[in-house]
Amino acid sequence: MSDIQKGMALLIGAFHKYSGKEGDKLTLSKGELKDLLTAELGDLLGKSQDKAALDKIFKDLDSNADGSVDFQEYITLVACITMLCNDFFAKK
Ligand SMILES: [Ca+2]
């Protein structure tokens, strides 16, 4: 597999690792999102122990406001963070 294909497979796998923990297996509950953000993105986002901050991130991500974060909403977050990282390295 190419690097991009490997990256895609890893992003899909990472989502399902957390989405399958409770409730709907294809979406992230707030608890699952917290686990994902802490374990996978904690270095970049800081610890999301702050409940108000987590509530805001969840609300912002849940763009169709159905109370869960689906794959499309998750991949949008990953794409945004990836763009920020790219900007950061491009400016160096
Ligand atoms: Ca949603």
Side-chain angles (χ1 to χ4, degrees):
M1 276 201 286
S2 71
D3 286 349
I4 290 178
Q5 286 170 356
K6 275 184 229 158
M8 286 159 59
L10 289 170
L11 287 173
I12 293 169
F15 178 84
H16 290 286
K17 184 168 138 193
Y18 295 92
S19 70
K21 283 186 177 177
E22 63 179 19
D24 187 334
K25 295 206 174 314
L26 298 179
T27 62
L28 296 169
S29 66
K30 197 178 284 181
E32 289 168 341
L33 178 72
K34 183 185 178 199
D35 290 348
L36 184 152
L37 291 177
T38 307
E40 308 285 341
L41 293 168
D43 320 349
L44 291 174
L45 297 178
K47 296 287 170 235
S48 51
Q49 304 299 342
D50 179 356
K51 189 170 180 307
L54 178 71
D55 284 349
K56 183 170 184 338
I57 293 172
F58 190 82
K59 193 162 167 275
D60 289 348
L61 282 182
D62 183 16
S63 55
N64 65 358
D66 67 351
S68 61
V69 169
D70 61 24
F71 190 80
Q72 186 182 329
E73 291 161 347
Y74 153 82
I75 209 71
T76 304
L77 168 73
V78 174
C80 288
I81 297 172
T82 306
M83 284 190 279
L84 290 174
C85 291
N86 182 52
D87 288 350
F88 179 78
F89 288 114
K91 281 185 191 125
K92 269 197 165 177

Coordinates of all heavy atoms in Angstrom, one line a residue:
M1 N 0.8 -1.2 0.0 CA 0.0 0.0 0.0 C 0.9 1.2 0.0 O 2.0 1.3 0.6 CB -0.9 0.0 1.3 CG -2.2 -0.8 1.1 SD -3.4 -0.3 2.3 CE -2.7 -0.9 3.9
S2 N 0.4 2.3 -0.6 CA 1.1 3.6 -0.6 C 1.0 4.2 0.7 O 0.1 3.8 1.6 CB 0.5 4.5 -1.7 OG -0.8 4.9 -1.3
D3 N 1.7 5.3 1.0 CA 1.7 6.0 2.3 C 0.3 6.5 2.5 O -0.3 6.4 3.6 CB 2.7 7.1 2.3 CG 4.1 6.6 2.5 OD1 4.3 5.4 2.8 OD2 5.0 7.4 2.3
I4 N -0.3 7.1 1.5 CA -1.7 7.7 1.6 C -2.7 6.6 1.9 O -3.6 6.8 2.8 CB -2.1 8.5 0.4 CG1 -1.2 9.8 0.4 CG2 -3.6 8.9 0.4 CD1 -1.4 10.7 -0.8
Q5 N -2.6 5.5 1.2 CA -3.5 4.4 1.5 C -3.4 3.8 2.9 O -4.3 3.5 3.6 CB -3.3 3.3 0.5 CG -3.9 3.6 -0.9 CD -3.5 2.6 -2.0 OE1 -2.7 1.7 -1.7 NE2 -4.0 2.9 -3.2
K6 N -2.1 3.7 3.3 CA -1.9 3.3 4.7 C -2.5 4.3 5.7 O -3.1 3.9 6.7 CB -0.3 3.2 5.0 CG 0.3 1.9 4.5 CD 1.8 1.9 5.0 CE 2.6 1.5 3.8 NZ 4.0 1.9 3.9
G7 N -2.3 5.6 5.4 CA -2.9 6.6 6.3 C -4.4 6.5 6.4 O -5.0 6.6 7.4
M8 N -5.0 6.3 5.2 CA -6.5 6.1 5.2 C -6.9 4.9 6.0 O -7.9 5.0 6.8 CB -6.9 6.0 3.7 CG -6.9 7.3 3.0 SD -6.8 7.1 1.2 CE -8.3 6.3 0.8
A9 N -6.2 3.8 5.8 CA -6.6 2.6 6.6 C -6.4 2.8 8.1 O -7.3 2.4 8.9 CB -5.7 1.4 6.1
L10 N -5.4 3.5 8.4 CA -5.1 3.8 9.9 C -6.2 4.7 10.5 O -6.7 4.5 11.6 CB -3.8 4.4 10.1 CG -2.6 3.4 9.9 CD1 -1.3 4.2 9.9 CD2 -2.6 2.3 10.9
L11 N -6.6 5.7 9.7 CA -7.7 6.6 10.1 C -9.0 5.9 10.3 O -9.7 6.2 11.3 CB -7.8 7.8 9.2 CG -6.7 8.8 9.2 CD1 -6.9 9.8 8.1 CD2 -6.6 9.5 10.5
I12 N -9.3 5.0 9.4 CA -10.6 4.2 9.5 C -10.5 3.3 10.7 O -11.4 3.2 11.5 CB -10.8 3.4 8.2 CG1 -11.1 4.4 7.0 CG2 -12.0 2.5 8.4 CD1 -11.1 3.7 5.6
G13 N -9.4 2.6 10.8 CA -9.2 1.7 12.0 C -9.3 2.4 13.3 O -9.9 1.9 14.2
A14 N -8.7 3.6 13.4 CA -8.7 4.3 14.7 C -10.1 4.7 15.0 O -10.5 4.7 16.2 CB -7.8 5.6 14.5
F15 N -10.9 5.1 14.0 CA -12.3 5.5 14.3 C -13.1 4.4 14.9 O -13.7 4.5 15.9 CB -12.9 6.0 13.0 CG -14.4 6.4 13.2 CD1 -14.7 7.7 13.7 CD2 -15.4 5.5 12.9 CE1 -16.1 8.0 13.9 CE2 -16.8 5.9 13.0 CZ -17.1 7.1 13.5
H16 N -12.9 3.2 14.2 CA -13.7 2.0 14.7 C -13.3 1.4 16.0 O -14.1 0.8 16.7 CB -13.8 1.0 13.6 CG -14.6 1.5 12.4 ND1 -16.0 1.5 12.4 CD2 -14.2 1.9 11.2 CE1 -16.4 2.0 11.3 NE2 -15.4 2.3 10.5
K17 N -12.0 1.7 16.3 CA -11.5 1.2 17.6 C -12.3 1.8 18.7 O -12.5 1.2 19.8 CB -10.0 1.6 17.7 CG -9.3 1.1 18.9 CD -7.8 1.4 18.7 CE -7.1 1.9 19.9 NZ -5.7 2.4 19.6
Y18 N -12.7 3.1 18.6 CA -13.4 3.8 19.6 C -14.9 3.8 19.4 O -15.7 3.7 20.4 CB -12.9 5.3 19.7 CG -11.5 5.4 20.1 CD1 -10.4 5.4 19.2 CD2 -11.1 5.4 21.4 CE1 -9.1 5.4 19.5 CE2 -9.8 5.4 21.8 CZ -8.8 5.4 20.9 OH -7.5 5.4 21.3
S19 N -15.4 3.8 18.1 CA -16.8 3.9 17.9 C -17.5 2.6 18.3 O -18.7 2.6 18.6 CB -17.1 4.2 16.4 OG -16.7 3.1 15.6
G20 N -16.7 1.5 18.3 CA -17.3 0.2 18.7 C -17.5 -0.1 20.2 O -18.0 -1.1 20.6
K21 N -17.0 0.9 21.0 CA -17.0 0.6 22.4 C -18.4 0.6 23.1 O -18.7 -0.2 24.0 CB -16.1 1.7 23.2 CG -14.7 1.4 23.0 CD -13.9 2.4 23.9 CE -12.4 2.1 23.8 NZ -11.6 3.1 24.5
E22 N -19.3 1.5 22.7 CA -20.6 1.5 23.3 C -21.6 2.1 22.3 O -21.3 2.8 21.4 CB -20.6 2.4 24.6 CG -20.3 3.8 24.3 CD -20.3 4.8 25.5 OE1 -20.2 4.2 26.7 OE2 -20.4 6.0 25.4
G23 N -22.9 1.7 22.5 CA -24.0 2.3 21.7 C -23.8 1.9 20.2 O -23.3 0.8 19.9
D24 N -24.1 2.9 19.4 CA -24.0 2.7 17.9 C -22.6 2.5 17.6 O -21.7 3.3 17.9 CB -24.5 4.0 17.2 CG -24.6 3.8 15.7 OD1 -23.9 3.0 15.1 OD2 -25.4 4.5 15.1
K25 N -22.3 1.4 16.8 CA -20.9 1.0 16.5 C -20.3 1.9 15.4 O -19.1 1.8 15.2 CB -20.9 -0.5 16.1 CG -21.3 -1.5 17.2 CD -20.6 -2.8 16.9 CE -20.8 -3.8 18.1 NZ -20.6 -3.2 19.4
L26 N -21.1 2.6 14.7 CA -20.6 3.4 13.6 C -20.5 4.9 13.9 O -20.2 5.7 13.1 CB -21.6 3.2 12.4 CG -21.6 1.8 11.9 CD1 -22.6 1.7 10.7 CD2 -20.2 1.3 11.5
T27 N -20.8 5.3 15.2 CA -20.6 6.7 15.6 C -19.9 6.8 16.9 O -19.9 5.8 17.7 CB -22.0 7.4 15.7 OG1 -22.7 6.8 16.7 CG2 -22.8 7.4 14.4
L28 N -19.4 8.0 17.2 CA -18.7 8.2 18.5 C -19.6 8.9 19.4 O -20.2 10.0 19.1 CB -17.5 9.1 18.3 CG -16.3 8.6 17.4 CD1 -15.3 9.7 17.1 CD2 -15.6 7.4 18.1
S29 N -19.8 8.3 20.6 CA -20.6 9.0 21.7 C -19.6 10.0 22.3 O -18.4 10.1 22.0 CB -21.0 8.0 22.8 OG -19.8 7.5 23.4
K30 N -20.1 10.9 23.2 CA -19.2 11.9 23.8 C -18.1 11.2 24.6 O -16.9 11.6 24.5 CB -20.0 12.8 24.7 CG -19.2 14.1 25.1 CD -20.1 15.0 26.0 CE -21.1 15.7 25.2 NZ -21.9 16.6 26.0
G31 N -18.4 10.1 25.2 CA -17.4 9.3 26.0 C -16.3 8.7 25.1 O -15.1 8.8 25.4
E32 N -16.8 8.2 24.0 CA -15.8 7.6 23.0 C -15.0 8.7 22.4 O -13.8 8.5 22.1 CB -16.6 6.9 21.9 CG -17.3 5.6 22.4 CD -18.3 5.0 21.4 OE1 -18.8 5.7 20.5 OE2 -18.6 3.8 21.5
L33 N -15.6 9.8 22.1 CA -14.8 11.0 21.5 C -13.7 11.4 22.5 O -12.6 11.6 22.1 CB -15.7 12.1 21.2 CG -15.0 13.4 20.6 CD1 -14.5 13.1 19.2 CD2 -15.8 14.6 20.6
K34 N -14.1 11.5 23.8 CA -13.1 11.9 24.8 C -11.9 10.9 24.8 O -10.8 11.3 24.8 CB -13.8 11.9 26.1 CG -12.9 12.4 27.2 CD -13.5 12.3 28.6 CE -12.5 12.8 29.7 NZ -12.9 12.3 31.0
D35 N -12.2 9.6 24.8 CA -11.2 8.6 24.8 C -10.3 8.7 23.6 O -9.0 8.7 23.6 CB -11.8 7.2 24.8 CG -12.4 6.9 26.1 OD1 -12.2 7.6 27.1 OD2 -13.1 5.8 26.2
L36 N -10.9 9.0 22.4 CA -10.1 9.1 21.1 C -9.2 10.4 21.2 O -8.0 10.3 20.9 CB -11.1 9.2 20.0 CG -10.5 9.3 18.5 CD1 -11.5 8.6 17.5 CD2 -10.1 10.7 18.1
L37 N -9.8 11.5 21.6 CA -9.0 12.7 21.7 C -7.9 12.6 22.6 O -6.8 13.1 22.4 CB -9.9 13.9 22.1 CG -11.0 14.3 21.1 CD1 -11.9 15.5 21.7 CD2 -10.4 14.8 19.8
T38 N -8.1 12.0 23.8 CA -7.1 11.9 24.8 C -6.0 10.9 24.4 O -4.8 11.3 24.5 CB -7.7 11.3 26.1 OG1 -8.8 12.2 26.5 CG2 -6.7 11.4 27.3
A39 N -6.4 9.8 23.9 CA -5.4 8.7 23.5 C -4.6 9.0 22.2 O -3.5 8.8 22.1 CB -6.0 7.4 23.5
E40 N -5.4 9.6 21.2 CA -4.8 9.7 19.9 C -4.3 11.1 19.6 O -3.4 11.3 18.7 CB -5.8 9.3 18.8 CG -6.5 7.9 19.1 CD -5.6 6.8 18.7 OE1 -4.6 7.0 18.0 OE2 -5.8 5.6 19.2
L41 N -4.9 12.1 20.2 CA -4.6 13.5 19.8 C -4.2 14.3 21.0 O -4.1 15.6 20.9 CB -5.8 14.1 19.1 CG -6.1 13.5 17.7 CD1 -7.5 14.0 17.2 CD2 -5.0 13.9 16.7
G42 N -4.0 13.7 22.1 CA -3.7 14.4 23.4 C -2.4 15.3 23.2 O -2.4 16.4 23.8
D43 N -1.4 14.8 22.5 CA -0.2 15.6 22.4 C -0.5 16.9 21.6 O 0.2 18.0 21.9 CB 0.9 14.9 21.5 CG 1.0 13.4 21.8 OD1 0.4 13.0 22.7 OD2 1.7 12.7 21.0
L44 N -1.4 16.9 20.7 CA -1.7 18.1 19.8 C -2.7 19.0 20.5 O -2.6 20.2 20.4 CB -2.2 17.6 18.4 CG -1.2 16.9 17.5 CD1 -1.9 16.5 16.3 CD2 -0.1 17.9 17.2
L45 N -3.7 18.4 21.1 CA -4.8 19.2 21.5 C -4.8 19.5 23.0 O -5.5 20.3 23.5 CB -6.2 18.4 21.3 CG -6.5 18.2 19.8 CD1 -7.8 17.4 19.8 CD2 -6.7 19.5 19.1
G46 N -3.8 18.9 23.7 CA -3.8 19.0 25.2 C -4.8 18.1 25.8 O -5.6 17.5 25.1
K47 N -4.8 17.9 27.1 CA -5.7 17.0 27.7 C -7.1 17.6 27.7 O -7.3 18.7 28.0 CB -5.3 16.8 29.2 CG -3.9 16.1 29.3 CD -4.0 14.6 28.9 CE -2.6 14.0 28.7 NZ -2.3 13.4 27.4
S48 N -8.1 16.7 27.2 CA -9.5 17.2 27.2 C -10.2 16.8 28.4 O -11.3 16.2 28.3 CB -10.1 16.7 25.9 OG -9.9 15.3 25.8
Q49 N -9.6 17.0 29.6 CA -10.3 16.6 30.8 C -11.4 17.6 31.2 O -12.3 17.3 31.9 CB -9.3 16.5 32.0 CG -8.1 15.5 31.7 CD -8.6 14.1 31.5 OE1 -9.7 13.7 31.9 NE2 -7.7 13.3 30.9
D50 N -11.2 18.8 30.7 CA -12.1 19.9 31.0 C -13.4 19.6 30.3 O -13.5 19.6 29.1 CB -11.5 21.2 30.4 CG -12.4 22.4 30.6 OD1 -13.5 22.3 31.1 OD2 -11.9 23.5 30.2
K51 N -14.5 19.4 31.2 CA -15.8 19.0 30.6 C -16.4 20.1 29.7 O -16.9 19.7 28.7 CB -16.7 18.7 31.8 CG -18.0 18.0 31.3 CD -18.9 17.5 32.4 CE -20.1 16.8 31.8 NZ -20.9 17.7 30.9
A52 N -16.2 21.3 30.0 CA -16.8 22.4 29.2 C -16.1 22.4 27.8 O -16.8 22.5 26.8 CB -16.6 23.7 29.9
A53 N -14.8 22.2 27.8 CA -14.1 22.1 26.5 C -14.5 20.9 25.7 O -14.7 21.1 24.5 CB -12.6 22.1 26.8
L54 N -14.7 19.8 26.4 CA -15.1 18.6 25.7 C -16.5 18.8 25.1 O -16.8 18.4 23.9 CB -15.1 17.4 26.6 CG -15.6 16.1 25.9 CD1 -14.6 15.6 24.9 CD2 -15.9 15.0 27.0
D55 N -17.4 19.4 25.9 CA -18.8 19.7 25.4 C -18.8 20.5 24.2 O -19.5 20.3 23.2 CB -19.6 20.4 26.5 CG -20.0 19.4 27.6 OD1 -19.9 18.2 27.4 OD2 -20.5 19.9 28.7
K56 N -17.9 21.6 24.2 CA -17.8 22.5 23.0 C -17.3 21.8 21.8 O -17.8 21.9 20.7 CB -16.9 23.7 23.4 CG -16.9 24.7 22.2 CD -16.3 26.0 22.6 CE -16.3 27.0 21.5 NZ -16.5 26.5 20.1
I57 N -16.2 21.0 22.0 CA -15.6 20.2 20.8 C -16.7 19.3 20.2 O -16.9 19.2 19.0 CB -14.4 19.4 21.3 CG1 -13.2 20.4 21.7 CG2 -13.9 18.5 20.2 CD1 -12.0 19.7 22.3
F58 N -17.4 18.6 21.1 CA -18.4 17.6 20.7 C -19.5 18.4 19.9 O -19.9 17.9 18.8 CB -19.0 16.9 21.9 CG -19.9 15.7 21.5 CD1 -19.3 14.5 21.2 CD2 -21.2 15.9 21.5 CE1 -20.1 13.4 20.9 CE2 -22.1 14.8 21.1 CZ -21.5 13.6 20.8
K59 N -20.0 19.5 20.5 CA -21.0 20.3 19.8 C -20.6 20.8 18.5 O -21.3 20.7 17.5 CB -21.5 21.4 20.7 CG -22.7 22.1 20.4 CD -23.3 22.9 21.5 CE -24.4 23.8 21.1 NZ -23.9 25.1 20.6
D60 N -19.3 21.3 18.4 CA -18.8 21.8 17.1 C -18.7 20.7 16.1 O -18.9 20.9 14.9 CB -17.4 22.5 17.3 CG -17.6 23.8 18.1 OD1 -18.7 24.3 18.2 OD2 -16.5 24.3 18.6
L61 N -18.2 19.5 16.5 CA -18.0 18.4 15.6 C -19.3 17.8 15.1 O -19.5 17.4 14.0 CB -17.2 17.3 16.3 CG -15.7 17.5 16.4 CD1 -15.1 16.3 17.1 CD2 -15.1 17.7 15.1
D62 N -20.3 17.8 16.0 CA -21.6 17.1 15.7 C -22.4 18.1 14.8 O -23.4 18.7 15.2 CB -22.4 16.8 17.0 CG -23.7 16.1 16.7 OD1 -23.9 15.6 15.6 OD2 -24.5 16.0 17.7
S63 N -22.0 18.3 13.5 CA -22.5 19.3 12.7 C -24.0 19.1 12.3 O -24.7 20.0 12.1 CB -21.7 19.5 11.4 OG -21.5 18.3 10.7
N64 N -24.4 17.8 12.3 CA -25.9 17.5 12.0 C -26.7 17.4 13.3 O -27.9 17.1 13.3 CB -26.1 16.3 11.1 CG -25.6 15.0 11.8 OD1 -25.1 15.0 12.9 ND2 -25.8 13.9 11.1
A65 N -26.0 17.7 14.5 CA -26.7 17.8 15.8 C -27.5 16.6 16.1 O -28.6 16.7 16.7 CB -27.5 19.1 15.9
D66 N -27.0 15.4 15.8 CA -27.8 14.2 16.2 C -27.3 13.5 17.5 O -27.7 12.4 17.8 CB -27.9 13.2 15.0 CG -26.5 12.6 14.7 OD1 -25.5 13.0 15.3 OD2 -26.4 11.6 13.9
G67 N -26.4 14.2 18.2 CA -25.9 13.7 19.5 C -24.8 12.7 19.4 O -24.4 12.0 20.4
S68 N -24.2 12.5 18.2 CA -23.1 11.6 18.0 C -22.2 12.1 16.9 O -22.7 12.8 16.1 CB -23.6 10.1 17.8 OG -24.3 10.1 16.6
V69 N -21.0 11.6 16.9 CA -20.0 12.1 15.9 C -19.8 10.9 14.9 O -19.3 9.9 15.3 CB -18.7 12.5 16.5 CG1 -17.6 12.7 15.5 CG2 -18.9 13.8 17.3
D70 N -20.3 11.1 13.7 CA -20.2 10.0 12.7 C -18.8 10.1 12.0 O -18.0 11.0 12.2 CB -21.3 10.0 11.7 CG -21.5 11.3 10.9 OD1 -20.4 12.0 10.8 OD2 -22.6 11.6 10.5
F71 N -18.6 9.2 11.0 CA -17.3 9.1 10.4 C -16.9 10.4 9.6 O -15.8 10.9 9.7 CB -17.2 7.9 9.5 CG -15.8 7.7 9.0 CD1 -14.8 7.1 9.8 CD2 -15.4 8.2 7.7 CE1 -13.5 6.9 9.3 CE2 -14.1 8.0 7.3 CZ -13.1 7.4 8.1
Q72 N -17.9 11.0 9.0 CA -17.7 12.2 8.2 C -17.3 13.4 9.1 O -16.4 14.2 8.8 CB -19.0 12.6 7.4 CG -18.8 13.7 6.5 CD -20.0 14.1 5.7 OE1 -20.9 13.3 5.5 NE2 -20.2 15.4 5.4
E73 N -18.0 13.5 10.3 CA -17.7 14.5 11.2 C -16.3 14.3 11.8 O -15.5 15.3 12.0 CB -18.7 14.6 12.3 CG -20.1 15.1 11.8 CD -21.3 14.7 12.6 OE1 -21.2 13.9 13.5 OE2 -22.4 15.3 12.4
Y74 N -15.9 13.1 12.0 CA -14.6 12.8 12.6 C -13.5 13.1 11.5 O -12.5 13.7 11.9 CB -14.5 11.3 12.9 CG -13.2 10.6 12.9 CD1 -12.3 10.7 14.0 CD2 -12.8 9.8 11.8 CE1 -11.1 10.0 13.9 CE2 -11.6 9.1 11.8 CZ -10.7 9.2 12.8 OH -9.6 8.5 12.8
I75 N -13.7 12.7 10.3 CA -12.6 12.9 9.3 C -12.5 14.4 9.0 O -11.4 14.8 8.6 CB -13.0 12.1 8.0 CG1 -11.7 11.7 7.3 CG2 -13.9 12.8 7.1 CD1 -10.8 10.6 8.0
T76 N -13.5 15.2 9.2 CA -13.4 16.6 9.0 C -12.5 17.2 10.1 O -11.7 18.0 9.8 CB -14.8 17.3 9.1 OG1 -15.7 16.7 8.2 CG2 -14.8 18.8 8.9
L77 N -12.6 16.7 11.3 CA -11.8 17.1 12.4 C -10.3 16.8 12.1 O -9.4 17.6 12.2 CB -12.2 16.4 13.7 CG -11.1 16.6 14.9 CD1 -11.2 18.0 15.5 CD2 -11.4 15.5 16.0
V78 N -10.1 15.5 11.6 CA -8.7 15.1 11.3 C -8.1 15.9 10.2 O -7.0 16.4 10.3 CB -8.7 13.6 11.0 CG1 -7.3 13.2 10.5 CG2 -9.2 12.7 12.1
A79 N -9.0 16.2 9.2 CA -8.5 17.0 8.1 C -8.1 18.5 8.5 O -7.1 19.0 8.1 CB -9.6 17.1 7.0
C80 N -8.9 19.1 9.4 CA -8.7 20.4 9.9 C -7.4 20.4 10.7 O -6.5 21.3 10.5 CB -9.8 20.9 10.8 SG -11.3 21.3 9.9
I81 N -7.2 19.4 11.6 CA -5.9 19.4 12.4 C -4.7 19.2 11.5 O -3.7 19.8 11.7 CB -6.0 18.3 13.5 CG1 -7.2 18.6 14.4 CG2 -4.7 18.2 14.2 CD1 -7.5 17.5 15.4
T82 N -4.9 18.3 10.5 CA -3.8 18.0 9.5 C -3.4 19.3 8.8 O -2.2 19.6 8.6 CB -4.2 16.9 8.5 OG1 -4.7 15.8 9.2 CG2 -3.1 16.5 7.6
M83 N -4.4 20.1 8.4 CA -4.1 21.4 7.7 C -3.4 22.3 8.6 O -2.4 23.0 8.2 CB -5.4 22.0 7.2 CG -5.9 21.4 6.0 SD -7.3 22.3 5.2 CE -8.6 21.8 6.2
L84 N -3.8 22.4 9.9 CA -3.1 23.3 10.9 C -1.6 22.8 11.0 O -0.7 23.6 11.1 CB -3.8 23.2 12.2 CG -5.2 23.9 12.3 CD1 -5.8 23.7 13.6 CD2 -5.0 25.4 12.0
C85 N -1.4 21.5 11.1 CA 0.0 21.0 11.2 C 0.8 21.3 10.0 O 1.9 21.7 10.1 CB -0.1 19.4 11.4 SG -0.7 18.9 12.9
N86 N 0.2 21.2 8.8 CA 0.9 21.5 7.6 C 1.3 23.0 7.6 O 2.4 23.4 7.2 CB 0.0 21.2 6.4 CG 0.7 21.5 5.1 OD1 1.8 21.0 4.9 ND2 0.1 22.3 4.2
D87 N 0.3 23.9 8.0 CA 0.6 25.3 8.0 C 1.8 25.6 9.0 O 2.7 26.4 8.7 CB -0.6 26.1 8.6 CG -1.7 26.2 7.5 OD1 -1.5 25.8 6.4 OD2 -2.8 26.6 7.9
F88 N 1.8 24.9 10.1 CA 2.8 25.1 11.1 C 4.2 24.7 10.5 O 5.2 25.5 10.6 CB 2.5 24.2 12.3 CG 3.5 24.2 13.4 CD1 3.6 25.3 14.3 CD2 4.5 23.2 13.5 CE1 4.5 25.4 15.3 CE2 5.4 23.2 14.6 CZ 5.4 24.3 15.4
F89 N 4.3 23.6 9.8 CA 5.6 23.1 9.3 C 6.0 24.0 8.0 O 7.2 24.2 7.8 CB 5.5 21.6 8.9 CG 5.5 20.8 10.2 CD1 4.4 20.0 10.5 CD2 6.6 20.8 11.0 CE1 4.4 19.2 11.6 CE2 6.6 20.0 12.2 CZ 5.5 19.2 12.5
A90 N 5.0 24.4 7.3 CA 5.3 25.2 6.1 C 5.9 26.6 6.5 O 6.7 27.1 5.7 CB 4.0 25.4 5.3
K91 N 5.5 27.1 7.6 CA 6.0 28.4 8.1 C 7.3 28.4 8.7 O 8.0 29.4 8.9 CB 5.0 29.0 9.0 CG 3.7 29.6 8.3 CD 2.8 30.3 9.3 CE 1.5 30.7 8.6 NZ 0.3 30.2 9.3
K92 N 7.8 27.2 9.0 CA 9.1 27.0 9.7 C 10.3 27.4 8.8 O 10.2 27.1 7.7 CB 9.2 25.6 10.2 CG 8.7 25.4 11.6 CD 9.2 24.1 12.3 CE 9.0 24.2 13.8 NZ 9.4 22.9 14.4
Ligands
CA1 CA -23.6 13.8 14.2

